[in-house]
Amino acid sequence: MLNKQPLVSAATALPGNADPIRITERHFVNQTDLLDTPTGSQQEVLLGMGCFWGAERLFWQLQGVVSTSVGYAGGYTVNPTYEQVCSGQTGHTEVVRVIFDSKQTSLARILETFWERHDPTQGMRQGNDLGTQYRSAIYTFSEEQQSIAEHSKQEYQRAMTESLGNEITTEVLPAGKYFFAETYHQQYLAKNPNGYCGLGGTGVCFPPQ
């Protein structure tokens, strides 16, 4: 089954590369420094929902989001390239790093958008994009975030069960190392407005809170 493609293990993953991908440009849309870490009331979260091009555009448009970037997480290979990730031999999935101001929005609100704008029940694929690098994932940076994400998943599973009867396959785990993707992937759909966007939800709305 295409949605049962196996993940590699730490022992079988590609060993990786000595040097990380160099980020030399600022955010193409809002000119933030992609290398900045959250400060003050800001938080970060890593979200995987298929091809990261369309996903990143979705989040940079949300109120309260300070900056976004795309990269690779959830696997084993150090400093992977796009080609290596697409081989399925790194264990990573494509993710968007979302930095948001918790005084303007919340992780719970961001996750409502996350759930509604992709299909979190497809396993190792998203639509026509097949492979472990397209699996759905939430990678958190604190125990509080982990609790919020797990509760959000439970709430959306309830709605999904009532509407379609499908089981959510999304990983909800503490974040490991985040590796930036190549510069040409960053804010790709702002640079290439007619580029590919594979986002598509199930039509199931997040339950009212």
Side-chain angles (χ1 to χ4, degrees), residues 115 149-159 168:
W115 295 119
E150 289 173 352
H151 177 72
S152 181
K153 179 179 177 179
Q154 291 169 0
E155 288 294 290
Y156 199 61
Q157 180 63 73
R158 178 167 60 84
I168 291 174

Side-chain angles (χ1 to χ4, degrees), residues 120-163:
T121 71
Q122 293 194 329
M124 302 304 180
R125 66 182 295 173
Q126 192 63 208
N128 292 326
D129 294 327
L130 310 176
T132 57
Q133 73 271 27
Y134 298 117
R135 69 187 185 274
S136 176
I138 303 169
Y139 300 129
T140 63
F141 286 85
S142 69
E143 291 184 3
E144 181 183 17
Q145 281 195 350
Q146 183 72 16
S147 177
I148 291 169
E150 289 173 352
H151 177 72
S152 181
K153 179 179 177 179
Q154 291 169 0
E155 288 294 290
Y156 199 61
Q157 180 63 73
R158 178 167 60 84
M160 186 68 70
T161 300
E162 292 174 356
S163 297

Side-chain angles (χ1 to χ4, degrees), residues 58-187:
L58 172 67
F59 291 111
W60 82 53
Q61 295 175 341
L62 295 184
Q63 181 178 355
V65 170
V66 177
S67 187
T68 58
S69 64
V70 294
Y72 316 114
Y76 308 104
T77 300
V78 177
N79 301 323
T81 66
Y82 180 66
E83 288 74 19
Q84 288 173 329
V85 172
C86 287
S87 76
Q89 300 303 304
T90 70
H92 292 298
T93 189
E94 295 187 12
V95 296
V96 182
R97 179 194 186 210
V98 180
I99 298 178
F100 62 96
D101 188 337
S102 61
K103 290 184 177 180
Q104 299 181 38
T105 189
S106 67
L107 178 59
R109 290 196 194 99
I110 288 171
L111 291 179
E112 288 181 19
T113 299
F114 167 82
W115 295 119
E116 292 181 349
R117 293 299 302 275
H118 81 301
D119 185 344
T121 71
Q122 293 194 329
M124 302 304 180
R125 66 182 295 173
Q126 192 63 208
N128 292 326
D129 294 327
L130 310 176
T132 57
Q133 73 271 27
Y134 298 117
R135 69 187 185 274
S136 176
I138 303 169
Y139 300 129
T140 63
F141 286 85
S142 69
E143 291 184 3
E144 181 183 17
Q145 281 195 350
Q146 183 72 16
S147 177
I148 291 169
E150 289 173 352
H151 177 72
S152 181
K153 179 179 177 179
Q154 291 169 0
E155 288 294 290
Y156 199 61
Q157 180 63 73
R158 178 167 60 84
M160 186 68 70
T161 300
E162 292 174 356
S163 297
L164 301 176
N166 296 340
E167 190 73 20
I168 291 174
T169 59
T170 304
E171 293 180 350
V172 181
L173 297 169
K177 177 70 174 177
Y178 169 69
F179 300 98
F180 283 97
E182 294 79 352
T183 295
Y184 76 92
H185 289 299
Q186 306 296 337
Q187 300 84 60

